[in-house]
Amino acid sequence: MGMDDGEIGWFSPDPRAVIPLDENFHVPHGLKRTLARATFEVHVDRSFETVMRACAKRKETWITEEIIQSYCELHRRGLAHSVEAWRGGKLAGGLYGVAIGAAFFGESMFHWETDASKVALHALVQRLRERGFTLLDTQWITPHLKQFGAMEIPRRQYLRRLAAAAGKECAFV
């Protein structure tokens, strides 16, 4: 996380929030309607830096310019990715994170249109499932993530899941 003094801090909360990739992933009713209408197109890595900058545009943010440049370098190296919801040729919302082994570390999300970030999250979970990922880490739980089945697990359990996921090969793209 970007700090006020320009440093980058490393945080490991206990408990840790994860979104289940199994049948416990919950698709809210309203999102099911949005998905059925197919009003968004989903793309991966089309506008990575734009997604990061949109995630940073809020009153308080940990996403500093140094963080943006660091994640853009991770993106160039094939580790950081964005999942984006587009409508009418324009970016409507999305998320970004880092993939290592069979773990995806979701960092932040944004929306300019209703349900766009939810569509991106749903697409992320589908992609992770299809490619054999076993861990979707969100660090902290929020009311927004809780509606999808996000849950907190103790650090000891998280570290076991992380070790197993990091040791498995998966391709995000």
Side-chain angles (χ1 to χ4, degrees):
M1 294 189 141
M3 310 297 280
D4 290 335
D5 61 3
E7 294 292 314
I8 294 177
W10 188 266
F11 294 91
S12 180
D14 186 11
R16 189 81 171 206
V18 297
I19 292 178
L21 295 174
D22 58 16
E23 66 279 352
N24 292 318
F25 177 73
H26 176 71
V27 181
H29 183 70
L31 179 57
K32 286 180 184 176
R33 284 193 311 266
T34 298
L35 293 169
R37 284 189 230 120
T39 58
F40 291 101
E41 292 179 23
V42 174
H43 297 281
V44 173
D45 292 340
R46 183 183 266 188
S47 294
F48 181 83
E49 186 171 343
T50 302
V51 169
M52 277 207 72
R53 292 191 181 282
C55 288
K57 283 187 181 179
R58 38 185 90 160
K59 193 179 259 188
E60 292 184 33
T61 185
W62 59 273
I63 306 170
T64 62
E65 186 60 31
E66 187 172 10
I67 291 284
I68 291 170
Q69 295 308 314
S70 297
Y71 276 83
C72 284
E73 180 60 27
L74 289 173
H75 176 66
R76 284 188 287 279
R77 294 177 184 220
L79 295 169
H81 303 282
S82 59
V83 179
E84 308 147 9
W86 292 72
R87 184 180 351 235
K90 294 183 180 179
L91 182 62
L95 58 85
Y96 76 95
V98 174
I100 299 174
F104 189 87
F105 305 88
E107 295 296 339
S108 191
M109 53 197 319
F110 82 98
H111 71 276
W112 288 328
E113 293 189 32
T114 302
D115 288 341
S117 65
K118 294 175 186 176
V119 168
L121 179 60
H122 181 267
L124 171 67
V125 169
Q126 292 304 110
R127 174 175 283 272
L128 297 178
R129 285 174 170 170
E130 290 167 1
R131 288 166 170 75
F133 280 73
T134 58
L135 180 65
L136 175 49
D137 178 352
T138 65
Q139 294 91 46
W140 288 279
I141 200 161
T142 66
H144 179 70
L145 295 175
K146 203 169 192 175
Q147 67 183 314
F148 295 95
M151 60 186 177
E152 294 180 321
I153 59 175
R155 179 179 285 132
R156 178 174 278 145
Q157 181 183 356
Y158 171 76
L159 292 175
R160 282 193 305 268
R161 287 188 184 188
L162 176 60
K168 183 179 175 190
E169 281 194 45
C170 286
F172 187 81
V173 289

